[in-house]
């Protein structure tokens, strides 16, 4: 027997931000980033809707990319002082992930970070507040997932928080909020969503529902990602990519991920590589690595009109090239000496990542280290 996990309610479609008016409460905190939601007007619109509903609202802004534990603690203290019954993550993934972690500490102020990052170690939430997620980027699908990623700056390590308690009570997937996304962020977040869908479909968890979500996401991404970069104002294309991200989120919150994510978390924590780009860099070789134990990549090849695993991997690499995503760490711009110095430490931490336990192929620190080494020059692996 299995349970299907996802957000409590999800509204999608251009203009669906209006559904924020469906919430019932007295106080709300909106958690957002460093200005994009102000520039695109979504923050002001959300504030106006809450005011119309008689809900007192305060804003915690300035969440940085790859949100830090320090920021999370500051946000939780802000919430404790105000006492909201709704927490709203509005903006990119960093804002929503930070809001999730703030929510945990708001409800459980004595919880240690070590307890928070223990897989499924977060106690029951919703004693003080419910959670709404409104993404403005089409990548992580955090609005439908049981995950958040927080960085410990002192250690230089990204840690995934994994708990079904983190599922939002309300998700709003409005493609209109994505039209101002620059091309590079559209590319990075699109590859992030594609990685989620591929890893969920090929994980060691067998789930028909997750498979259907993953396939739907992959089809939408191959049909729309390049178009979203070329025609950013196309509302239907933007909505398609936003839906693809949410579908991939549904897929991996039920079937989980693999070592692409384990590796990417370390690449982001140590070198500051944006998460979607880190996933895109690692994805082709990890697919080659995992293809030794699964034929599921052939299913995905047929999904987009191809036949073999090799053809599917080539299609992913070609998509990366078309949207100007680098094929190697050297091409990304990191010095070889600096990269090689960190390879072993990254491999050790990636091996401990919760995502590693769901990889279809049983791995080792040594194998992950080899994948990191090959990644520097973009060398294709065969082991």
């Amino acid at each position: 027997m299995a349970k299907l996990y996802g957000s409590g309610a999800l509204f999608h479609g251009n203009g669906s931000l209006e559904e924020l008016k469906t919430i019932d409460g007295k106080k709300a905190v909106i958690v957002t980033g460093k200005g994009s939601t102000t520039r695109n007007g979504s923050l002001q619109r959300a504030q106006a809707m809450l005011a119309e509903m008689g809900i007192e609202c305060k804003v915690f802004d300035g969440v940085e990319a790859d949100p830090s534990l320090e920021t999370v603690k500051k946000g939780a203290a802000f919430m404790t002082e105000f006492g909201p019954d709704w927490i709203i993550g509005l903006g990119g993934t960093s804002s929503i992930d930070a809001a999730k972690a703030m929510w945990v500490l708001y409800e459980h102020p004595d919880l240690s970070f070590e307890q928070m990052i223990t897989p499924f170690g977060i106690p029951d939430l919703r004693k003080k507040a419910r959670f709404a997620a409104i993404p403005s980027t089409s990548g992580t699908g955090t609005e439908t997932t049981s995950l958040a990623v927080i960085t410990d700056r002192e250690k230089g390590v990204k840690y995934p928080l994994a708990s079904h308690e983190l599922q939002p009570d309300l998700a709003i997937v409005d493609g209109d909020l994505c039209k101002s996304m620059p091309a590079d962020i559209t590319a990075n977040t699109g590859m992030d969503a594609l990685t989620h869908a591929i890893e969920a479909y090929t994980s060691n968890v067998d789930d028909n529902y997750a498979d259907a979500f993953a396939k739907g996401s992959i089809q939408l991404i191959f049909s729309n990602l390049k178009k979203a970069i070329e025609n950013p104002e196309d509302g239907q294309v933007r909505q398609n990519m936003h839906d693809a991200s949410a579908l991939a989120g549904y897929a991996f919150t039920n079937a989980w991920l693999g070592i692409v994510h384990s590796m990417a978390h370390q690449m982001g924590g140590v070198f500051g590589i944006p998460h979607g780009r880190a996933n895109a860099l690692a994805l082709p070789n990890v697919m080659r690595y995992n293809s030794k134990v699964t034929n599921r990549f052939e299913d995905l090849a047929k999904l987009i009109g191809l036949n073999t695993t090799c053809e599917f991997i080539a299609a992913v690499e070609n998509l990366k090239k078309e949207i100007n995503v680098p094929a190697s760490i050297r091409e990304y711009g990191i010095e070889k000496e600096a990269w090689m110095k960190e390879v072993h430490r990254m491999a050790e931490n990636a091996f401990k990542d919760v995502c590693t336990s769901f990889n279809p192929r049983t791995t080792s620190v040594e194998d992950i280290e080899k994948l990191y080494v090959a990644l520097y020059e973009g060398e294709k692996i065969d082991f």
Side-chain angles (χ1 to χ4, degrees):
M1 183 181 74
K3 179 179 179 179
L4 180 67
Y5 291 96
S7 57
L10 184 143
F11 296 97
H12 62 100
N14 292 310
S16 56
L17 182 60
E18 289 288 326
E19 298 299 331
L20 185 59
K21 294 179 181 179
T22 62
I23 71 172
D24 179 22
K26 295 180 179 179
K27 292 183 176 182
V29 166
I30 297 176
V31 179
T32 193
K34 294 187 174 182
S36 64
T37 57
T38 299
R39 291 190 296 273
N40 69 22
S42 58
L43 176 58
Q44 297 92 319
R45 290 172 60 199
Q47 288 175 298
M49 290 177 201
L50 293 171
E52 182 181 335
M53 300 301 294
I55 299 173
E56 185 182 356
C57 175
K58 288 192 175 182
V59 176
F60 183 91
D61 60 8
V63 174
E64 73 275 37
D66 300 322
S68 65
L69 178 57
E70 181 182 11
T71 296
V72 168
K73 289 179 177 178
K74 288 179 181 177
F78 180 88
M79 292 172 185
T80 298
E81 183 176 347
F82 180 55
D85 49 26
W86 274 97
I87 296 167
I88 301 168
L90 172 65
T93 301
S94 294
S95 297
I96 298 173
D97 279 7
K100 286 182 176 181
M102 292 171 190
W103 180 29
V104 174
L105 287 184
Y106 170 54
E107 300 242 1
H108 300 284
D110 296 327
L111 198 68
S112 70
F113 190 54
E114 288 70 26
Q115 289 173 292
M116 289 173 68
I117 63 177
T118 299
F120 307 102
I122 294 172
D124 291 352
L125 300 177
R126 297 169 179 82
K127 306 297 184 183
K128 296 180 180 179
R130 288 173 288 172
F131 191 88
I134 308 173
S136 62
T137 59
S138 306
T140 67
T142 188
E143 68 276 8
T144 63
T145 75
S146 306
L147 287 176
V149 179
I150 303 300
T151 300
D152 185 329
R153 300 271 185 234
E154 291 184 5
K155 295 181 179 179
V157 177
K158 280 187 175 184
Y159 291 97
L161 280 59
S163 169
H164 291 305
E165 289 298 314
L166 295 175
Q167 287 286 345
D169 298 285
L170 171 67
I172 296 175
V173 182
D174 185 342
D176 281 343
L177 305 187
C178 305
K179 290 180 179 179
S180 61
M181 262 202 302
D184 62 329
I185 296 178
T186 300
N188 290 345
T189 55
M191 289 304 302
D192 191 16
L194 181 62
T195 304
H196 292 153
I198 291 172
E199 287 213 288
Y201 188 75
T202 57
S203 81
N204 58 23
V205 176
D206 187 13
D207 188 290
N208 287 334
Y209 290 82
D211 288 351
F213 287 131
K215 286 181 173 180
S217 176
I218 290 166
Q219 287 178 312
L220 283 171
I221 292 167
F222 270 97
S223 298
N224 290 276
L225 178 52
K226 185 180 176 184
K227 293 177 183 177
I229 292 170
E230 294 173 341
N231 302 290
E233 294 295 322
D234 187 322
Q236 187 57 60
V237 168
R238 284 296 196 184
Q239 186 61 50
N240 288 344
M241 282 303 303
H242 225 27
D243 289 342
S245 176
L247 288 168
Y250 274 121
F252 85 76
T253 208
N254 287 283
W256 297 94
L257 297 164
I259 60 171
V260 175
H261 272 75
S262 303
M263 294 174 66
H265 290 152
Q266 303 312 313
M267 292 157 67
V270 176
F271 290 100
I273 301 173
H275 180 64
R277 184 149 293 194
N279 277 336
L281 284 161
L283 180 60
N285 264 351
V286 172
M287 287 195 290
R288 292 184 181 98
Y289 177 78
N290 285 333
S291 68
K292 303 293 185 181
V293 300
T294 179
N295 60 6
R296 299 211 100 197
F297 296 109
E298 292 181 10
D299 297 344
L300 301 182
K302 292 171 184 175
L303 193 68
I304 60 171
L306 303 173
N307 294 298
T308 68
T309 294
C310 289
E311 288 176 333
F312 183 71
I313 295 171
V316 171
E317 291 179 315
N318 186 58
L319 178 60
K320 285 172 54 178
K321 185 176 180 180
E322 288 181 331
I323 61 175
N324 297 314
V325 172
S328 68
I329 296 298
R330 180 186 57 77
E331 186 180 334
Y332 180 74
I334 295 172
E335 293 294 330
K336 187 172 185 178
E337 183 178 357
W339 178 258
M340 293 305 175
K341 181 181 177 181
E342 298 291 349
V343 157
H344 183 69
R345 180 168 75 98
M346 290 195 298
E348 287 185 321
N349 287 330
F351 182 72
K352 298 173 187 175
D353 193 296
V354 64
C355 296
T356 298
S357 60
F358 297 99
N359 197 66
R361 180 176 174 180
T362 301
T363 190
S364 64
V365 173
E366 292 74 20
D367 279 2
I368 296 173
E369 188 167 350
K370 289 178 184 177
L371 287 163
Y372 275 132
V373 170
L375 187 54
Y376 188 79
E377 296 288 349
E379 174 190 355
K380 295 179 181 180
I381 61 99
D382 185 23
F383 64 86

